[in-house]
Amino acid sequence: RACAPTWTKRAFAEMSAATFLKQSGDLRDLGTAVNRIRRLLDLDADIAAIDAALSRGPLARLVRVAPGIRVPGTCDAFASLISTMVGQQISVAAARTHLGRLVSELGEPTPWTGDDGPDRRFPAPAAIAESGAGVLRGPRRRIDAIVGVARAVADGDVELHPGVAASQLRVALLARPGIGTWTADYLTMTVAGDPDILLDTDLVVARSAAGLSIDRAGLASAAPWRSYASMHLWRHALLDPPDTSGDVR
Protein backbone atom coordinates (compact mmCIF):
# COMPACT_ATOMS: atom_id res chain seq x y z
CA ARG A 1 0.00 0.00 0.00
CA ALA A 2 1.40 3.40 -0.96
CA CYS A 3 1.87 5.87 1.88
CA ALA A 4 1.71 9.06 -0.20
CA PRO A 5 0.77 10.10 -3.74
CA THR A 6 3.67 9.59 -6.10
CA TRP A 7 4.53 10.47 -9.66
CA THR A 8 7.24 9.06 -11.86
CA LYS A 9 8.87 10.61 -14.90
CA ARG A 10 10.26 8.25 -17.52
CA ALA A 11 12.99 9.18 -19.95
CA PHE A 12 14.11 6.67 -22.59
CA ALA A 13 17.51 6.71 -24.27
CA GLU A 14 17.82 4.96 -27.64
CA MET A 15 14.73 2.89 -26.76
CA SER A 16 16.86 0.54 -24.69
CA ALA A 17 17.59 2.11 -21.31
CA ALA A 18 15.33 4.00 -18.95
CA THR A 19 16.03 6.52 -16.25
CA PHE A 20 13.37 6.96 -13.62
CA LEU A 21 13.07 10.13 -11.62
CA LYS A 22 10.71 9.78 -8.68
CA GLN A 23 9.26 12.42 -6.41
CA SER A 24 7.46 11.35 -3.28
CA GLY A 25 6.75 12.68 0.15
CA ASP A 26 7.54 9.34 1.76
CA LEU A 27 10.45 7.00 1.00
CA ARG A 28 8.31 4.05 2.13
CA ASP A 29 6.67 4.37 -1.30
CA LEU A 30 9.88 3.45 -3.10
CA GLY A 31 9.28 -0.32 -3.09
CA THR A 32 5.72 0.12 -4.35
CA ALA A 33 6.89 2.48 -7.07
CA VAL A 34 9.58 0.04 -8.25
CA ASN A 35 7.06 -2.82 -8.39
CA ARG A 36 4.62 -0.73 -10.40
CA ILE A 37 7.32 0.34 -12.84
CA ARG A 38 8.37 -3.29 -13.30
CA ARG A 39 4.76 -4.20 -14.10
CA LEU A 40 4.38 -1.21 -16.41
CA LEU A 41 7.40 -2.25 -18.48
CA ASP A 42 6.90 -6.02 -18.13
CA LEU A 43 10.40 -6.36 -16.71
CA ASP A 44 9.75 -9.69 -14.99
CA ALA A 45 8.95 -11.52 -18.23
CA ASP A 46 11.44 -14.18 -19.37
CA ILE A 47 11.80 -12.45 -22.71
CA ALA A 48 14.53 -14.79 -23.97
CA ALA A 49 12.27 -17.81 -23.51
CA ILE A 50 9.33 -15.97 -25.10
CA ASP A 51 11.39 -14.93 -28.14
CA ALA A 52 12.70 -18.48 -28.51
CA ALA A 53 9.17 -19.91 -28.47
CA LEU A 54 7.81 -17.38 -30.98
CA SER A 55 10.84 -17.93 -33.22
CA ARG A 56 9.73 -21.50 -33.81
CA GLY A 57 6.50 -20.37 -35.48
CA PRO A 58 5.24 -18.05 -38.22
CA LEU A 59 6.31 -14.94 -36.28
CA ALA A 60 9.99 -15.84 -36.48
CA ARG A 61 10.90 -13.05 -38.89
CA LEU A 62 9.17 -10.46 -36.73
CA VAL A 63 11.10 -11.64 -33.68
CA ARG A 64 14.38 -11.38 -35.60
CA VAL A 65 13.55 -7.83 -36.66
CA ALA A 66 12.45 -6.70 -33.18
CA PRO A 67 13.61 -9.06 -30.42
CA GLY A 68 12.72 -8.34 -26.84
CA ILE A 69 9.26 -6.85 -27.33
CA ARG A 70 7.34 -6.73 -24.07
CA VAL A 71 3.67 -6.25 -23.21
CA PRO A 72 2.88 -2.87 -21.65
CA GLY A 73 1.27 -2.94 -18.25
CA THR A 74 -0.29 -0.18 -16.21
CA CYS A 75 0.41 1.71 -12.99
CA ASP A 76 -3.27 2.62 -12.55
CA ALA A 77 -5.75 -0.04 -13.59
CA PHE A 78 -8.83 2.16 -13.15
CA ALA A 79 -7.32 4.98 -15.20
CA SER A 80 -6.50 2.44 -17.93
CA LEU A 81 -10.08 1.15 -17.91
CA ILE A 82 -11.65 4.60 -18.22
CA SER A 83 -9.09 5.80 -20.76
CA THR A 84 -9.73 2.75 -22.92
CA MET A 85 -13.49 3.23 -22.80
CA VAL A 86 -13.27 6.97 -23.48
CA GLY A 87 -10.98 6.34 -26.45
CA GLN A 88 -13.26 3.90 -28.24
CA GLN A 89 -14.03 4.92 -31.83
CA ILE A 90 -12.59 8.43 -31.51
CA SER A 91 -9.22 9.93 -32.37
CA VAL A 92 -6.31 10.04 -29.94
CA ALA A 93 -6.55 13.85 -29.88
CA ALA A 94 -10.26 13.74 -29.02
CA ALA A 95 -9.69 11.14 -26.31
CA ARG A 96 -6.94 13.31 -24.81
CA THR A 97 -9.34 16.27 -24.71
CA HIS A 98 -12.10 14.25 -23.00
CA LEU A 99 -9.71 12.76 -20.44
CA GLY A 100 -8.13 16.14 -19.77
CA ARG A 101 -11.55 17.59 -19.00
CA LEU A 102 -12.35 14.66 -16.73
CA VAL A 103 -9.14 15.07 -14.74
CA SER A 104 -9.48 18.85 -14.59
CA GLU A 105 -13.04 18.73 -13.32
CA LEU A 106 -13.00 15.68 -11.04
CA GLY A 107 -9.36 14.96 -10.16
CA GLU A 108 -8.01 15.86 -6.74
CA PRO A 109 -5.03 18.27 -6.60
CA THR A 110 -1.64 16.61 -6.18
CA PRO A 111 0.32 17.40 -3.02
CA TRP A 112 3.52 18.32 -4.86
CA THR A 113 4.44 21.55 -6.57
CA GLY A 114 6.47 22.24 -9.69
CA ASP A 115 6.00 22.84 -13.39
CA ASP A 116 7.15 19.43 -14.66
CA GLY A 117 4.60 17.17 -13.01
CA PRO A 118 0.84 16.68 -13.13
CA ASP A 119 -1.14 18.95 -10.83
CA ARG A 120 -4.19 16.70 -10.53
CA ARG A 121 -4.66 12.98 -9.97
CA PHE A 122 -6.85 10.81 -12.13
CA PRO A 123 -10.37 10.90 -10.66
CA ALA A 124 -11.34 8.22 -8.16
CA PRO A 125 -14.02 5.70 -9.17
CA ALA A 126 -16.55 7.28 -6.79
CA ALA A 127 -15.96 10.74 -8.28
CA ILE A 128 -16.69 9.55 -11.82
CA ALA A 129 -19.66 7.50 -10.62
CA GLU A 130 -21.18 10.53 -8.91
CA SER A 131 -20.27 13.38 -11.29
CA GLY A 132 -18.94 11.87 -14.51
CA ALA A 133 -22.23 12.16 -16.37
CA GLY A 134 -22.06 15.94 -16.13
CA VAL A 135 -18.47 16.13 -17.38
CA LEU A 136 -18.18 13.46 -20.06
CA ARG A 137 -19.19 14.22 -23.64
CA GLY A 138 -20.30 11.87 -26.39
CA PRO A 139 -22.99 9.24 -26.95
CA ARG A 140 -25.23 8.73 -23.94
CA ARG A 141 -24.69 4.96 -24.04
CA ARG A 142 -20.94 5.36 -23.70
CA ILE A 143 -21.29 7.88 -20.88
CA ASP A 144 -23.70 5.58 -19.03
CA ALA A 145 -21.31 2.65 -19.52
CA ILE A 146 -18.35 4.62 -18.12
CA VAL A 147 -20.30 5.92 -15.15
CA GLY A 148 -21.72 2.45 -14.53
CA VAL A 149 -18.37 0.69 -14.48
CA ALA A 150 -16.94 3.43 -12.25
CA ARG A 151 -19.77 2.74 -9.80
CA ALA A 152 -19.09 -1.01 -10.00
CA VAL A 153 -15.40 -0.44 -9.20
CA ALA A 154 -16.23 1.98 -6.39
CA ASP A 155 -18.66 -0.54 -4.87
CA GLY A 156 -16.21 -3.45 -5.22
CA ASP A 157 -18.33 -5.31 -7.78
CA VAL A 158 -15.46 -5.17 -10.30
CA GLU A 159 -11.93 -5.73 -8.97
CA LEU A 160 -9.09 -4.03 -10.82
CA HIS A 161 -5.69 -4.96 -9.47
CA PRO A 162 -2.73 -7.14 -10.49
CA GLY A 163 -3.77 -9.91 -8.11
CA VAL A 164 -7.11 -10.60 -9.79
CA ALA A 165 -7.22 -13.73 -11.93
CA ALA A 166 -7.16 -12.94 -15.63
CA SER A 167 -10.18 -15.11 -16.40
CA GLN A 168 -12.13 -13.54 -13.54
CA LEU A 169 -11.33 -10.01 -14.73
CA ARG A 170 -12.33 -10.77 -18.31
CA VAL A 171 -15.67 -12.25 -17.27
CA ALA A 172 -16.39 -9.29 -14.98
CA LEU A 173 -15.59 -6.77 -17.71
CA LEU A 174 -17.64 -8.53 -20.38
CA ALA A 175 -20.62 -8.51 -18.03
CA ARG A 176 -20.60 -4.70 -18.01
CA PRO A 177 -22.66 -2.78 -20.59
CA GLY A 178 -20.50 -1.00 -23.13
CA ILE A 179 -17.46 -3.26 -22.74
CA GLY A 180 -16.81 -5.55 -25.68
CA THR A 181 -14.32 -8.28 -26.45
CA TRP A 182 -11.45 -6.00 -27.52
CA THR A 183 -11.65 -3.83 -24.40
CA ALA A 184 -11.94 -6.85 -22.09
CA ASP A 185 -9.02 -8.62 -23.78
CA TYR A 186 -6.79 -5.53 -23.81
CA LEU A 187 -7.40 -4.82 -20.12
CA THR A 188 -6.97 -8.48 -19.17
CA MET A 189 -3.60 -8.35 -20.92
CA THR A 190 -2.40 -5.05 -19.40
CA VAL A 191 -4.02 -5.10 -15.95
CA ALA A 192 -3.94 -8.81 -15.06
CA GLY A 193 -0.75 -9.45 -17.03
CA ASP A 194 -2.17 -12.37 -19.02
CA PRO A 195 0.61 -13.43 -21.44
CA ASP A 196 -1.73 -15.37 -23.72
CA ILE A 197 -4.26 -12.85 -25.03
CA LEU A 198 -4.61 -12.76 -28.81
CA LEU A 199 -6.10 -9.44 -29.89
CA ASP A 200 -7.63 -11.02 -32.96
CA THR A 201 -10.56 -8.57 -32.93
CA ASP A 202 -8.12 -5.68 -33.32
CA LEU A 203 -8.20 -4.40 -36.90
CA VAL A 204 -4.47 -3.58 -37.00
CA VAL A 205 -3.48 -6.99 -35.62
CA ALA A 206 -5.84 -8.80 -38.01
CA ARG A 207 -4.56 -6.89 -41.06
CA SER A 208 -0.96 -7.40 -40.03
CA ALA A 209 -1.47 -11.16 -39.71
CA ALA A 210 -3.32 -11.31 -43.04
CA GLY A 211 -0.56 -9.34 -44.75
CA LEU A 212 1.95 -11.91 -43.52
CA SER A 213 -0.30 -14.82 -44.55
CA ILE A 214 -0.58 -15.98 -40.95
CA ASP A 215 -3.90 -17.74 -40.39
CA ARG A 216 -5.71 -18.56 -37.16
CA ALA A 217 -3.84 -21.84 -36.78
CA GLY A 218 -0.55 -19.99 -37.09
CA LEU A 219 -1.61 -17.47 -34.45
CA ALA A 220 -2.82 -20.27 -32.17
CA SER A 221 0.65 -21.80 -32.33
CA ALA A 222 1.98 -18.75 -30.47
CA ALA A 223 0.31 -19.96 -27.25
CA PRO A 224 1.03 -19.47 -24.40
CA TRP A 225 2.60 -16.18 -25.53
CA ARG A 226 -0.13 -14.74 -27.74
CA SER A 227 -0.05 -11.36 -25.97
CA TYR A 228 3.52 -10.98 -27.20
CA ALA A 229 2.49 -12.17 -30.67
CA SER A 230 -0.13 -9.41 -30.68
CA MET A 231 2.54 -6.83 -29.82
CA HIS A 232 4.78 -8.07 -32.64
CA LEU A 233 1.92 -7.83 -35.13
CA TRP A 234 1.04 -4.35 -33.90
CA ARG A 235 4.63 -3.21 -34.24
CA HIS A 236 4.98 -4.75 -37.69
CA ALA A 237 1.89 -2.95 -38.98
CA LEU A 238 2.93 0.42 -37.57
CA LEU A 239 6.71 0.46 -37.99
CA ASP A 240 7.95 -2.13 -40.49
CA PRO A 241 7.99 -1.45 -44.23
CA PRO A 242 5.88 -3.77 -46.39
CA ASP A 243 7.46 -7.17 -46.94
CA THR A 244 7.73 -8.02 -50.64
CA SER A 245 10.11 -10.93 -50.35
CA GLY A 246 7.40 -13.54 -49.90
CA ASP A 247 9.38 -15.10 -47.03
CA VAL A 248 7.60 -14.30 -43.79
CA ARG A 249 9.79 -16.63 -41.77
Side-chain angles (χ1 to χ4, degrees), residues 158-176:
V158 173
E159 294 186 75
L160 287 174
H161 55 78
V164 67
S167 58
Q168 177 185 338
L169 176 61
R170 189 174 188 274
V171 169
L173 291 172
L174 286 173
R176 301 301 311 174

Side-chain angles (χ1 to χ4, degrees), residues 78 124-127 129-130 148-158:
F78 179 68
E130 293 166 8
V149 78
R151 171 54 62 196
V153 174
D155 291 346
D157 295 331
V158 173

Side-chain angles (χ1 to χ4, degrees), residues 59-111:
L59 293 171
R61 187 183 71 82
L62 302 190
V63 177
R64 286 200 302 270
V65 170
I69 283 183
R70 297 172 187 266
V71 175
T74 178
C75 289
D76 188 331
F78 179 68
S80 293
L81 168 61
I82 299 302
S83 298
T84 303
M85 295 181 70
V86 167
Q88 289 176 342
Q89 299 180 337
I90 62 175
S91 68
V92 173
R96 187 181 297 118
T97 297
H98 289 304
L99 290 168
R101 182 187 300 116
L102 196 66
V103 171
S104 177
E105 294 290 333
L106 302 181
E108 294 290 330
T110 57

